[in-house]
Amino acid sequence: MSATLEARSVPFFNYRGAFSEMRDDLNRIFNDVVDRGAFILQKDGVEFEQAIANYLGVKHAIGMGNATDALHFAFRAAGLQPGDEVIFPSHTMVAGPAAVHFAGGVPVAVDIGEDRLIDAAKINAAVTPRTKFIMPTQLNGRTCDMDALQAVADRHGLRIVEDSAQGLGSQFRGKFAGTFGVAACFSFYPAKVLGCLGDGGMAITNDDQVAEKILLLRDHGRDAATGEVKMWGLNSRLDNLQAAFLHHQFKDWDAIVAHRRKLAAAYQAELGSIPQLRLPPAPDADSRHFDVYQNYEIEADRRDALKEFLKARGVGTLIQWGGRAVHQFPALRMTQSLPVTEKFFERCLMLPLNMMVSGEDVGYVAALIREFYAQ
Ligand SMILES: *Cc1c(COP(=O)(O)O)cnc(C)c1O
């Protein structure tokens, strides 16, 4: 087969190409912001926050330096007390539990379920008298079954703070990721669905008091109107220049999401019948879910050999989080054994899916994968 397959290069994520097509627009925005000297907490940031708040239908969208700070401040603002336990899925970025840690809490890892997101059924056993929150991760652009999660939360009197860093635009039953709990975060890291030219993030909430506290925490505890220092604060503001870049890209949001969903459908069509693989749900697989495909994470027999095979033929892949779940990093001293997650990490692999990937690229990657398993 490879004799007829024309070689191409499909990097996992082409950082050098990510913004090059919009270079002229970005240069224009850069010049405009520089000419106005508008760098910190200026109108571009406010307008971008407003655009996201309108899109999601939330009261408060607060631009921050990154999503990790957004979660950290969200927990502080939501009243996390020292020693409070927060249940989270171990298949996530360490940023979430780290935010809990720095807010004074204790992150408690639980297993993932059949859908590879937090397993609501495993939460009961992890609840102790100190448990106060559940932090689901809306992973790979898919929102958890929030009905199941809310039911567990209600049973134990827990509140939800969503790590929706990967979930902007994703929905469950027509409701956006990030809008289910007390507060949530988004990340604008360059490789995220909506990425900027550096670090950026956002906290969202419908709770006025939580919003007020996050606003203070992100700007040295200062009241925006009076400058009065009302509490100890830190500094984590979304740069105005990054906000201007983000707002510009956000104007194409529907097309961005549509492209990602089209590529996911193409992978499904090309790879869906290979028994050695397990694919993420297709875009139309479950009408309760609307996925934005931040990542296309498959499970594969002989995963490492497949990764090498693809690499040798110009295709970049990535094993998420460096190949380990959070509880598997010894320095973090988590003692759980989480069998579904651990098994998953022997098989998981992310295929290229982003705005620089074309339908032809997907065809090439899929042909190579078919060739690999036909051997
Ligand atoms: C990217 C990511 C974060 C961290 O976002 P930053 O903006 O880099 O702080 C947190 N959680 C998840 C699930 C992520 O993918």
Side-chain angles (χ1 to χ4, degrees), residues 10-15 17-18 190-193 256 259-261 263-264 267 292-296 316 351-359 361-362:
V10 188
F12 179 73
F13 188 89
N14 175 9
Y15 283 90
K192 296 283 158 82
V193 178
I256 292 170
H259 182 74
R260 300 186 87 103
R261 287 170 59 83
L263 295 182
Y267 273 127
V292 298
Y293 296 92
Q294 163 64 57
N295 301 305
Y296 195 78
L351 303 180
L353 191 162
N354 54 65
M355 295 310 282
M356 290 156 284
V357 172
S358 66
D361 291 332
V362 168

PDB file of all heavy atoms in Angstrom, residues 10-15 17-18 190-193 256 259-261 263-264 267 292-296 316 351-359 361-362:
ATOM      1  N   VAL A  10       2.889  15.114   8.529  1.00  0.00           N
ATOM      2  CA  VAL A  10       1.750  15.565   9.333  1.00  0.00           C
ATOM      3  C   VAL A  10       2.207  15.690  10.783  1.00  0.00           C
ATOM      4  O   VAL A  10       2.115  14.736  11.563  1.00  0.00           O
ATOM      5  CB  VAL A  10       0.546  14.598   9.239  1.00  0.00           C
ATOM      6  CG1 VAL A  10      -0.678  15.209   9.929  1.00  0.00           C
ATOM      7  CG2 VAL A  10       0.220  14.229   7.798  1.00  0.00           C
ATOM      8  N   PRO A  11       2.767  16.847  11.141  1.00  0.00           N
ATOM      9  CA  PRO A  11       3.213  17.007  12.531  1.00  0.00           C
ATOM     10  C   PRO A  11       2.022  16.935  13.481  1.00  0.00           C
ATOM     11  O   PRO A  11       0.893  17.236  13.070  1.00  0.00           O
ATOM     12  CB  PRO A  11       3.850  18.390  12.566  1.00  0.00           C
ATOM     13  CG  PRO A  11       3.544  19.050  11.282  1.00  0.00           C
ATOM     14  CD  PRO A  11       2.938  18.062  10.337  1.00  0.00           C
ATOM     15  N   PHE A  12       2.292  16.553  14.719  1.00  0.00           N
ATOM     16  CA  PHE A  12       1.174  16.478  15.673  1.00  0.00           C
ATOM     17  C   PHE A  12       0.547  17.859  15.870  1.00  0.00           C
ATOM     18  O   PHE A  12      -0.660  18.012  15.825  1.00  0.00           O
ATOM     19  CB  PHE A  12       1.632  15.901  17.019  1.00  0.00           C
ATOM     20  CG  PHE A  12       0.486  15.847  17.986  1.00  0.00           C
ATOM     21  CD1 PHE A  12      -0.519  14.905  17.838  1.00  0.00           C
ATOM     22  CD2 PHE A  12       0.380  16.771  19.012  1.00  0.00           C
ATOM     23  CE1 PHE A  12      -1.616  14.884  18.694  1.00  0.00           C
ATOM     24  CE2 PHE A  12      -0.706  16.754  19.880  1.00  0.00           C
ATOM     25  CZ  PHE A  12      -1.706  15.805  19.713  1.00  0.00           C
ATOM     26  N   PHE A  13       1.400  18.837  16.109  1.00  0.00           N
ATOM     27  CA  PHE A  13       0.915  20.225  16.157  1.00  0.00           C
ATOM     28  C   PHE A  13       2.052  21.113  15.675  1.00  0.00           C
ATOM     29  O   PHE A  13       3.127  21.125  16.264  1.00  0.00           O
ATOM     30  CB  PHE A  13       0.485  20.621  17.579  1.00  0.00           C
ATOM     31  CG  PHE A  13      -0.191  21.974  17.619  1.00  0.00           C
ATOM     32  CD1 PHE A  13      -1.560  22.086  17.436  1.00  0.00           C
ATOM     33  CD2 PHE A  13       0.550  23.136  17.824  1.00  0.00           C
ATOM     34  CE1 PHE A  13      -2.193  23.328  17.442  1.00  0.00           C
ATOM     35  CE2 PHE A  13      -0.068  24.382  17.829  1.00  0.00           C
ATOM     36  CZ  PHE A  13      -1.447  24.479  17.647  1.00  0.00           C
ATOM     37  N   ASN A  14       1.808  21.833  14.617  1.00  0.00           N
ATOM     38  CA  ASN A  14       2.831  22.648  13.980  1.00  0.00           C
ATOM     39  C   ASN A  14       2.832  24.051  14.599  1.00  0.00           C
ATOM     40  O   ASN A  14       2.154  24.952  14.109  1.00  0.00           O
ATOM     41  CB  ASN A  14       2.547  22.691  12.475  1.00  0.00           C
ATOM     42  CG  ASN A  14       3.487  23.621  11.738  1.00  0.00           C
ATOM     43  OD1 ASN A  14       4.463  24.121  12.296  1.00  0.00           O
ATOM     44  ND2 ASN A  14       3.195  23.858  10.475  1.00  0.00           N
ATOM     45  N   TYR A  15       3.616  24.222  15.667  1.00  0.00           N
ATOM     46  CA  TYR A  15       3.610  25.510  16.367  1.00  0.00           C
ATOM     47  C   TYR A  15       4.048  26.652  15.450  1.00  0.00           C
ATOM     48  O   TYR A  15       3.548  27.768  15.560  1.00  0.00           O
ATOM     49  CB  TYR A  15       4.503  25.457  17.617  1.00  0.00           C
ATOM     50  CG  TYR A  15       3.855  24.723  18.766  1.00  0.00           C
ATOM     51  CD1 TYR A  15       4.035  23.352  18.926  1.00  0.00           C
ATOM     52  CD2 TYR A  15       3.036  25.391  19.670  1.00  0.00           C
ATOM     53  CE1 TYR A  15       3.414  22.664  19.958  1.00  0.00           C
ATOM     54  CE2 TYR A  15       2.412  24.720  20.702  1.00  0.00           C
ATOM     55  CZ  TYR A  15       2.609  23.358  20.844  1.00  0.00           C
ATOM     56  OH  TYR A  15       1.987  22.690  21.866  1.00  0.00           O
ATOM     57  N   GLY A  17       3.494  26.929  12.342  1.00  0.00           N
ATOM     58  CA  GLY A  17       2.478  27.257  11.347  1.00  0.00           C
ATOM     59  C   GLY A  17       1.165  27.728  11.940  1.00  0.00           C
ATOM     60  O   GLY A  17       0.287  28.214  11.226  1.00  0.00           O
ATOM     61  N   ALA A  18       1.046  27.575  13.257  1.00  0.00           N
ATOM     62  CA  ALA A  18      -0.267  27.748  13.894  1.00  0.00           C
ATOM     63  C   ALA A  18      -0.895  29.115  13.614  1.00  0.00           C
ATOM     64  O   ALA A  18      -2.097  29.223  13.420  1.00  0.00           O
ATOM     65  CB  ALA A  18      -0.144  27.527  15.398  1.00  0.00           C
ATOM     66  N   PRO A 190      -1.306  27.853  23.306  1.00  0.00           N
ATOM     67  CA  PRO A 190      -1.362  27.896  21.834  1.00  0.00           C
ATOM     68  C   PRO A 190      -2.032  26.683  21.176  1.00  0.00           C
ATOM     69  O   PRO A 190      -2.689  26.832  20.141  1.00  0.00           O
ATOM     70  CB  PRO A 190       0.122  27.985  21.441  1.00  0.00           C
ATOM     71  CG  PRO A 190       0.790  28.624  22.620  1.00  0.00           C
ATOM     72  CD  PRO A 190       0.022  28.190  23.835  1.00  0.00           C
ATOM     73  N   ALA A 191      -1.869  25.496  21.743  1.00  0.00           N
ATOM     74  CA  ALA A 191      -2.411  24.294  21.092  1.00  0.00           C
ATOM     75  C   ALA A 191      -3.854  23.992  21.494  1.00  0.00           C
ATOM     76  O   ALA A 191      -4.424  22.998  21.052  1.00  0.00           O
ATOM     77  CB  ALA A 191      -1.521  23.085  21.394  1.00  0.00           C
ATOM     78  N   LYS A 192      -4.445  24.839  22.316  1.00  0.00           N
ATOM     79  CA  LYS A 192      -5.848  24.613  22.677  1.00  0.00           C
ATOM     80  C   LYS A 192      -6.750  25.037  21.506  1.00  0.00           C
ATOM     81  O   LYS A 192      -6.306  25.749  20.603  1.00  0.00           O
ATOM     82  CB  LYS A 192      -6.202  25.383  23.953  1.00  0.00           C
ATOM     83  CG  LYS A 192      -5.400  24.889  25.181  1.00  0.00           C
ATOM     84  CD  LYS A 192      -5.933  23.574  25.745  1.00  0.00           C
ATOM     85  CE  LYS A 192      -4.922  22.795  26.566  1.00  0.00           C
ATOM     86  NZ  LYS A 192      -4.703  23.149  27.924  1.00  0.00           N
ATOM     87  N   VAL A 193      -8.003  24.629  21.537  1.00  0.00           N
ATOM     88  CA  VAL A 193      -8.895  24.902  20.404  1.00  0.00           C
ATOM     89  C   VAL A 193      -8.924  26.389  20.092  1.00  0.00           C
ATOM     90  O   VAL A 193      -8.865  26.805  18.937  1.00  0.00           O
ATOM     91  CB  VAL A 193     -10.326  24.380  20.674  1.00  0.00           C
ATOM     92  CG1 VAL A 193     -11.238  24.724  19.505  1.00  0.00           C
ATOM     93  CG2 VAL A 193     -10.314  22.879  20.880  1.00  0.00           C
ATOM     94  N   ILE A 256     -14.022  26.989  13.156  1.00  0.00           N
ATOM     95  CA  ILE A 256     -12.972  26.225  13.841  1.00  0.00           C
ATOM     96  C   ILE A 256     -13.555  24.917  14.373  1.00  0.00           C
ATOM     97  O   ILE A 256     -13.015  23.822  14.148  1.00  0.00           O
ATOM     98  CB  ILE A 256     -12.366  27.063  14.994  1.00  0.00           C
ATOM     99  CG1 ILE A 256     -11.571  28.252  14.433  1.00  0.00           C
ATOM    100  CG2 ILE A 256     -11.495  26.207  15.902  1.00  0.00           C
ATOM    101  CD1 ILE A 256     -11.125  29.273  15.484  1.00  0.00           C
ATOM    102  N   HIS A 259     -14.517  22.502  11.551  1.00  0.00           N
ATOM    103  CA  HIS A 259     -13.362  21.823  10.947  1.00  0.00           C
ATOM    104  C   HIS A 259     -12.914  20.656  11.816  1.00  0.00           C
ATOM    105  O   HIS A 259     -12.658  19.553  11.323  1.00  0.00           O
ATOM    106  CB  HIS A 259     -12.211  22.816  10.753  1.00  0.00           C
ATOM    107  CG  HIS A 259     -10.996  22.222  10.101  1.00  0.00           C
ATOM    108  ND1 HIS A 259     -10.951  21.916   8.765  1.00  0.00           N
ATOM    109  CD2 HIS A 259      -9.793  21.836  10.621  1.00  0.00           C
ATOM    110  CE1 HIS A 259      -9.762  21.386   8.468  1.00  0.00           C
ATOM    111  NE2 HIS A 259      -9.040  21.329   9.583  1.00  0.00           N
ATOM    112  N   ARG A 260     -12.853  20.874  13.104  1.00  0.00           N
ATOM    113  CA  ARG A 260     -12.392  19.811  14.008  1.00  0.00           C
ATOM    114  C   ARG A 260     -13.371  18.640  13.985  1.00  0.00           C
ATOM    115  O   ARG A 260     -12.966  17.478  13.992  1.00  0.00           O
ATOM    116  CB  ARG A 260     -12.199  20.365  15.421  1.00  0.00           C
ATOM    117  CG  ARG A 260     -11.178  21.492  15.491  1.00  0.00           C
ATOM    118  CD  ARG A 260     -10.879  21.930  16.916  1.00  0.00           C
ATOM    119  NE  ARG A 260      -9.828  21.121  17.502  1.00  0.00           N
ATOM    120  CZ  ARG A 260      -8.562  21.507  17.665  1.00  0.00           C
ATOM    121  NH1 ARG A 260      -8.172  22.706  17.312  1.00  0.00           N
ATOM    122  NH2 ARG A 260      -7.684  20.691  18.203  1.00  0.00           N
ATOM    123  N   ARG A 261     -14.653  18.942  13.969  1.00  0.00           N
ATOM    124  CA  ARG A 261     -15.653  17.866  13.948  1.00  0.00           C
ATOM    125  C   ARG A 261     -15.624  17.108  12.616  1.00  0.00           C
ATOM    126  O   ARG A 261     -15.814  15.889  12.582  1.00  0.00           O
ATOM    127  CB  ARG A 261     -17.046  18.445  14.229  1.00  0.00           C
ATOM    128  CG  ARG A 261     -17.213  18.845  15.706  1.00  0.00           C
ATOM    129  CD  ARG A 261     -18.476  19.637  15.964  1.00  0.00           C
ATOM    130  NE  ARG A 261     -19.693  18.926  15.600  1.00  0.00           N
ATOM    131  CZ  ARG A 261     -20.326  18.029  16.363  1.00  0.00           C
ATOM    132  NH1 ARG A 261     -19.827  17.708  17.549  1.00  0.00           N
ATOM    133  NH2 ARG A 261     -21.430  17.459  15.942  1.00  0.00           N
ATOM    134  N   LEU A 263     -12.912  16.616  10.802  1.00  0.00           N
ATOM    135  CA  LEU A 263     -11.748  15.724  10.843  1.00  0.00           C
ATOM    136  C   LEU A 263     -12.038  14.491  11.710  1.00  0.00           C
ATOM    137  O   LEU A 263     -11.643  13.376  11.372  1.00  0.00           O
ATOM    138  CB  LEU A 263     -10.518  16.461  11.383  1.00  0.00           C
ATOM    139  CG  LEU A 263      -9.970  17.609  10.530  1.00  0.00           C
ATOM    140  CD1 LEU A 263      -8.715  18.198  11.185  1.00  0.00           C
ATOM    141  CD2 LEU A 263      -9.650  17.163   9.105  1.00  0.00           C
ATOM    142  N   ALA A 264     -12.742  14.706  12.826  1.00  0.00           N
ATOM    143  CA  ALA A 264     -13.082  13.567  13.699  1.00  0.00           C
ATOM    144  C   ALA A 264     -13.982  12.581  12.954  1.00  0.00           C
ATOM    145  O   ALA A 264     -13.808  11.359  13.054  1.00  0.00           O
ATOM    146  CB  ALA A 264     -13.765  14.066  14.976  1.00  0.00           C
ATOM    147  N   TYR A 267     -11.762  10.605  10.564  1.00  0.00           N
ATOM    148  CA  TYR A 267     -11.033   9.524  11.258  1.00  0.00           C
ATOM    149  C   TYR A 267     -11.965   8.355  11.528  1.00  0.00           C
ATOM    150  O   TYR A 267     -11.604   7.191  11.356  1.00  0.00           O
ATOM    151  CB  TYR A 267     -10.453  10.037  12.584  1.00  0.00           C
ATOM    152  CG  TYR A 267      -9.083  10.672  12.490  1.00  0.00           C
ATOM    153  CD1 TYR A 267      -8.844  11.952  12.999  1.00  0.00           C
ATOM    154  CD2 TYR A 267      -8.005   9.983  11.931  1.00  0.00           C
ATOM    155  CE1 TYR A 267      -7.591  12.541  12.951  1.00  0.00           C
ATOM    156  CE2 TYR A 267      -6.738  10.563  11.869  1.00  0.00           C
ATOM    157  CZ  TYR A 267      -6.541  11.842  12.381  1.00  0.00           C
ATOM    158  OH  TYR A 267      -5.280  12.414  12.329  1.00  0.00           O
ATOM    159  N   VAL A 292     -15.979  19.184  20.807  1.00  0.00           N
ATOM    160  CA  VAL A 292     -15.194  20.101  19.972  1.00  0.00           C
ATOM    161  C   VAL A 292     -13.836  19.517  19.583  1.00  0.00           C
ATOM    162  O   VAL A 292     -13.072  20.149  18.874  1.00  0.00           O
ATOM    163  CB  VAL A 292     -15.000  21.480  20.640  1.00  0.00           C
ATOM    164  CG1 VAL A 292     -16.353  22.162  20.864  1.00  0.00           C
ATOM    165  CG2 VAL A 292     -14.244  21.366  21.951  1.00  0.00           C
ATOM    166  N   TYR A 293     -13.549  18.299  20.051  1.00  0.00           N
ATOM    167  CA  TYR A 293     -12.325  17.585  19.651  1.00  0.00           C
ATOM    168  C   TYR A 293     -11.063  18.417  19.860  1.00  0.00           C
ATOM    169  O   TYR A 293     -10.295  18.651  18.941  1.00  0.00           O
ATOM    170  CB  TYR A 293     -12.436  17.064  18.204  1.00  0.00           C
ATOM    171  CG  TYR A 293     -13.524  16.034  18.088  1.00  0.00           C
ATOM    172  CD1 TYR A 293     -14.824  16.384  17.735  1.00  0.00           C
ATOM    173  CD2 TYR A 293     -13.276  14.700  18.421  1.00  0.00           C
ATOM    174  CE1 TYR A 293     -15.844  15.436  17.685  1.00  0.00           C
ATOM    175  CE2 TYR A 293     -14.284  13.750  18.376  1.00  0.00           C
ATOM    176  CZ  TYR A 293     -15.555  14.130  18.004  1.00  0.00           C
ATOM    177  OH  TYR A 293     -16.557  13.203  17.967  1.00  0.00           O
ATOM    178  N   GLN A 294     -10.881  18.854  21.095  1.00  0.00           N
ATOM    179  CA  GLN A 294      -9.592  19.446  21.467  1.00  0.00           C
ATOM    180  C   GLN A 294      -8.470  18.459  21.101  1.00  0.00           C
ATOM    181  O   GLN A 294      -7.405  18.853  20.622  1.00  0.00           O
ATOM    182  CB  GLN A 294      -9.561  19.738  22.968  1.00  0.00           C
ATOM    183  CG  GLN A 294      -8.179  19.962  23.564  1.00  0.00           C
ATOM    184  CD  GLN A 294      -7.503  21.192  23.012  1.00  0.00           C
ATOM    185  OE1 GLN A 294      -8.037  22.290  23.099  1.00  0.00           O
ATOM    186  NE2 GLN A 294      -6.316  21.028  22.414  1.00  0.00           N
ATOM    187  N   ASN A 295      -8.724  17.189  21.341  1.00  0.00           N
ATOM    188  CA  ASN A 295      -7.775  16.133  20.963  1.00  0.00           C
ATOM    189  C   ASN A 295      -8.548  14.978  20.360  1.00  0.00           C
ATOM    190  O   ASN A 295      -9.739  14.814  20.618  1.00  0.00           O
ATOM    191  CB  ASN A 295      -7.017  15.616  22.188  1.00  0.00           C
ATOM    192  CG  ASN A 295      -6.238  16.703  22.886  1.00  0.00           C
ATOM    193  OD1 ASN A 295      -5.416  17.389  22.278  1.00  0.00           O
ATOM    194  ND2 ASN A 295      -6.502  16.893  24.167  1.00  0.00           N
ATOM    195  N   TYR A 296      -7.842  14.172  19.567  1.00  0.00           N
ATOM    196  CA  TYR A 296      -8.421  12.934  19.055  1.00  0.00           C
ATOM    197  C   TYR A 296      -7.608  11.788  19.650  1.00  0.00           C
ATOM    198  O   TYR A 296      -6.552  11.425  19.141  1.00  0.00           O
ATOM    199  CB  TYR A 296      -8.398  12.914  17.524  1.00  0.00           C
ATOM    200  CG  TYR A 296      -9.303  11.843  16.970  1.00  0.00           C
ATOM    201  CD1 TYR A 296     -10.681  12.037  16.907  1.00  0.00           C
ATOM    202  CD2 TYR A 296      -8.789  10.623  16.540  1.00  0.00           C
ATOM    203  CE1 TYR A 296     -11.523  11.050  16.432  1.00  0.00           C
ATOM    204  CE2 TYR A 296      -9.628   9.632  16.057  1.00  0.00           C
ATOM    205  CZ  TYR A 296     -10.997   9.863  16.009  1.00  0.00           C
ATOM    206  OH  TYR A 296     -11.833   8.878  15.540  1.00  0.00           O
ATOM    207  N   GLY A 316       3.276  12.775  13.244  1.00  0.00           N
ATOM    208  CA  GLY A 316       3.503  13.009  14.673  1.00  0.00           C
ATOM    209  C   GLY A 316       2.278  12.612  15.482  1.00  0.00           C
ATOM    210  O   GLY A 316       1.143  12.871  15.085  1.00  0.00           O
ATOM    211  N   LEU A 351      -3.886  11.379  17.793  1.00  0.00           N
ATOM    212  CA  LEU A 351      -3.574  11.596  16.379  1.00  0.00           C
ATOM    213  C   LEU A 351      -3.701  13.087  16.069  1.00  0.00           C
ATOM    214  O   LEU A 351      -4.424  13.808  16.753  1.00  0.00           O
ATOM    215  CB  LEU A 351      -4.551  10.793  15.505  1.00  0.00           C
ATOM    216  CG  LEU A 351      -4.609   9.278  15.764  1.00  0.00           C
ATOM    217  CD1 LEU A 351      -5.620   8.621  14.813  1.00  0.00           C
ATOM    218  CD2 LEU A 351      -3.235   8.646  15.605  1.00  0.00           C
ATOM    219  N   PRO A 352      -3.019  13.553  15.011  1.00  0.00           N
ATOM    220  CA  PRO A 352      -3.092  14.978  14.680  1.00  0.00           C
ATOM    221  C   PRO A 352      -4.522  15.405  14.338  1.00  0.00           C
ATOM    222  O   PRO A 352      -5.182  14.771  13.509  1.00  0.00           O
ATOM    223  CB  PRO A 352      -2.194  15.114  13.437  1.00  0.00           C
ATOM    224  CG  PRO A 352      -1.406  13.850  13.357  1.00  0.00           C
ATOM    225  CD  PRO A 352      -2.165  12.801  14.087  1.00  0.00           C
ATOM    226  N   LEU A 353      -4.987  16.430  15.003  1.00  0.00           N
ATOM    227  CA  LEU A 353      -6.304  17.016  14.691  1.00  0.00           C
ATOM    228  C   LEU A 353      -6.270  18.471  15.139  1.00  0.00           C
ATOM    229  O   LEU A 353      -6.321  18.761  16.337  1.00  0.00           O
ATOM    230  CB  LEU A 353      -7.437  16.251  15.401  1.00  0.00           C
ATOM    231  CG  LEU A 353      -8.877  16.603  14.942  1.00  0.00           C
ATOM    232  CD1 LEU A 353      -9.864  15.517  15.349  1.00  0.00           C
ATOM    233  CD2 LEU A 353      -9.342  17.941  15.477  1.00  0.00           C
ATOM    234  N   ASN A 354      -6.122  19.350  14.175  1.00  0.00           N
ATOM    235  CA  ASN A 354      -6.145  20.782  14.489  1.00  0.00           C
ATOM    236  C   ASN A 354      -6.360  21.540  13.189  1.00  0.00           C
ATOM    237  O   ASN A 354      -6.568  20.920  12.137  1.00  0.00           O
ATOM    238  CB  ASN A 354      -4.859  21.210  15.216  1.00  0.00           C
ATOM    239  CG  ASN A 354      -3.614  20.828  14.447  1.00  0.00           C
ATOM    240  OD1 ASN A 354      -3.374  21.346  13.347  1.00  0.00           O
ATOM    241  ND2 ASN A 354      -2.829  19.892  14.983  1.00  0.00           N
ATOM    242  N   MET A 355      -6.284  22.868  13.247  1.00  0.00           N
ATOM    243  CA  MET A 355      -6.637  23.675  12.078  1.00  0.00           C
ATOM    244  C   MET A 355      -5.642  23.527  10.931  1.00  0.00           C
ATOM    245  O   MET A 355      -5.955  23.877   9.796  1.00  0.00           O
ATOM    246  CB  MET A 355      -6.768  25.149  12.478  1.00  0.00           C
ATOM    247  CG  MET A 355      -7.901  25.431  13.445  1.00  0.00           C
ATOM    248  SD  MET A 355      -9.470  24.718  12.901  1.00  0.00           S
ATOM    249  CE  MET A 355      -9.954  25.901  11.637  1.00  0.00           C
ATOM    250  N   MET A 356      -4.436  23.020  11.218  1.00  0.00           N
ATOM    251  CA  MET A 356      -3.456  22.846  10.143  1.00  0.00           C
ATOM    252  C   MET A 356      -3.556  21.472   9.500  1.00  0.00           C
ATOM    253  O   MET A 356      -2.839  21.170   8.555  1.00  0.00           O
ATOM    254  CB  MET A 356      -2.045  23.066  10.702  1.00  0.00           C
ATOM    255  CG  MET A 356      -1.786  24.516  11.059  1.00  0.00           C
ATOM    256  SD  MET A 356      -0.486  24.672  12.292  1.00  0.00           S
ATOM    257  CE  MET A 356      -1.359  24.180  13.777  1.00  0.00           C
ATOM    258  N   VAL A 357      -4.424  20.619  10.038  1.00  0.00           N
ATOM    259  CA  VAL A 357      -4.592  19.272   9.498  1.00  0.00           C
ATOM    260  C   VAL A 357      -5.749  19.291   8.493  1.00  0.00           C
ATOM    261  O   VAL A 357      -6.806  19.858   8.764  1.00  0.00           O
ATOM    262  CB  VAL A 357      -4.867  18.271  10.645  1.00  0.00           C
ATOM    263  CG1 VAL A 357      -5.227  16.899  10.097  1.00  0.00           C
ATOM    264  CG2 VAL A 357      -3.658  18.186  11.574  1.00  0.00           C
ATOM    265  N   SER A 358      -5.524  18.679   7.328  1.00  0.00           N
ATOM    266  CA  SER A 358      -6.554  18.649   6.281  1.00  0.00           C
ATOM    267  C   SER A 358      -7.195  17.265   6.200  1.00  0.00           C
ATOM    268  O   SER A 358      -6.693  16.298   6.801  1.00  0.00           O
ATOM    269  CB  SER A 358      -5.904  18.963   4.926  1.00  0.00           C
ATOM    270  OG  SER A 358      -5.011  17.906   4.577  1.00  0.00           O
ATOM    271  N   GLY A 359      -8.256  17.176   5.459  1.00  0.00           N
ATOM    272  CA  GLY A 359      -8.885  15.881   5.200  1.00  0.00           C
ATOM    273  C   GLY A 359      -7.912  14.911   4.538  1.00  0.00           C
ATOM    274  O   GLY A 359      -7.901  13.714   4.834  1.00  0.00           O
ATOM    275  N   ASP A 361      -4.692  14.908   4.945  1.00  0.00           N
ATOM    276  CA  ASP A 361      -3.775  14.452   6.001  1.00  0.00           C
ATOM    277  C   ASP A 361      -4.398  13.290   6.773  1.00  0.00           C
ATOM    278  O   ASP A 361      -3.725  12.296   7.062  1.00  0.00           O
ATOM    279  CB  ASP A 361      -3.466  15.592   6.987  1.00  0.00           C
ATOM    280  CG  ASP A 361      -2.625  16.701   6.363  1.00  0.00           C
ATOM    281  OD1 ASP A 361      -1.845  16.412   5.428  1.00  0.00           O
ATOM    282  OD2 ASP A 361      -2.754  17.850   6.821  1.00  0.00           O
ATOM    283  N   VAL A 362      -5.662  13.415   7.110  1.00  0.00           N
ATOM    284  CA  VAL A 362      -6.342  12.349   7.844  1.00  0.00           C
ATOM    285  C   VAL A 362      -6.346  11.065   7.011  1.00  0.00           C
ATOM    286  O   VAL A 362      -6.085   9.974   7.524  1.00  0.00           O
ATOM    287  CB  VAL A 362      -7.787  12.757   8.228  1.00  0.00           C
ATOM    288  CG1 VAL A 362      -8.589  11.551   8.722  1.00  0.00           C
ATOM    289  CG2 VAL A 362      -7.759  13.841   9.299  1.00  0.00           C
TER     290      VAL A 362
END
